[in-house]
Amino acid sequence: VKRSLNLDYSLSPGALAPYIQGLVEGTAMAKQCARCARVTFPPERMCQCQSRADGATNLGWRELSGEARLVVRTDGPNGAFALVQFNGADNQAVCRIVNPELSGSKVTLQAAQKEMPGIFVEIVGEAVDIDG
Ligand SMILES: [Zn+2]
């Protein structure tokens, strides 16, 4: 049984506005903990060290380069997705690969595609060792 479900609503980015705006522009805006310096992209609401201590949130925004390493990749009929480690981040992000025809482990953040929220990455060329 195939059914179509259409949702039409707007979500307010709230405290994540710099992150959401960064995704639209192709800029990796991460959160950094003022206490332990842990960096998260996508940003976490509360650092692990703070939730263990007093529960206070003391996180600041920090821009990352957008360069990242592909950790795990999966390809399917609806696209290619990857678990990605962004340079400078201590967590990992699930991303859509915009150029799944390429292989490789080096990726960069791309501006989010219109009307599609999420983290988009492009596989960038890597030097290939050729014998001879
Ligand atoms: Zn912390």
Side-chain angles (χ1 to χ4, degrees):
V1 176
K2 184 173 182 179
R3 294 193 176 228
S4 180
L5 175 64
N6 294 307
L7 303 174
D8 183 16
Y9 58 89
S10 297
L11 295 174
S12 171
L16 290 177
Y19 168 68
I20 300 298
Q21 186 62 33
L23 291 182
V24 170
E25 297 170 353
T27 304
M29 296 302 294
K31 282 278 197 181
Q32 183 166 30
C33 177
R35 180 176 294 166
C36 73
R38 184 169 182 270
V39 176
T40 55
F41 181 84
E44 293 177 357
R45 186 167 173 270
M46 178 181 288
C47 184
Q48 297 166 355
C49 80
Q50 294 172 351
S51 60
R52 280 195 304 268
D54 54 14
T57 58
N58 191 1
L59 301 164
W61 290 103
R62 176 181 165 183
E63 184 177 335
L64 305 180
S65 70
E67 296 174 342
R69 180 177 56 85
L70 192 155
V71 179
V72 178
R73 171 180 176 159
T74 183
D75 291 78
N78 294 318
F81 299 87
L83 185 62
V84 167
Q85 176 84 50
F86 280 85
N87 293 354
D90 295 303
N91 62 343
Q92 297 177 333
V94 175
C95 308
R96 177 185 285 270
I97 300 171
V98 299
N99 56 344
E101 68 278 8
L102 294 185
S103 60
S105 62
K106 190 175 178 186
V107 299
T108 58
L109 182 70
Q110 298 296 301
Q113 295 179 6
K114 192 177 180 186
E115 305 289 330
M116 282 188 75
I119 307 172
F120 294 81
V121 294
E122 178 180 38
I123 295 174
V124 295
E126 297 179 13
V128 178
D129 291 329
I130 299 173
D131 292 334

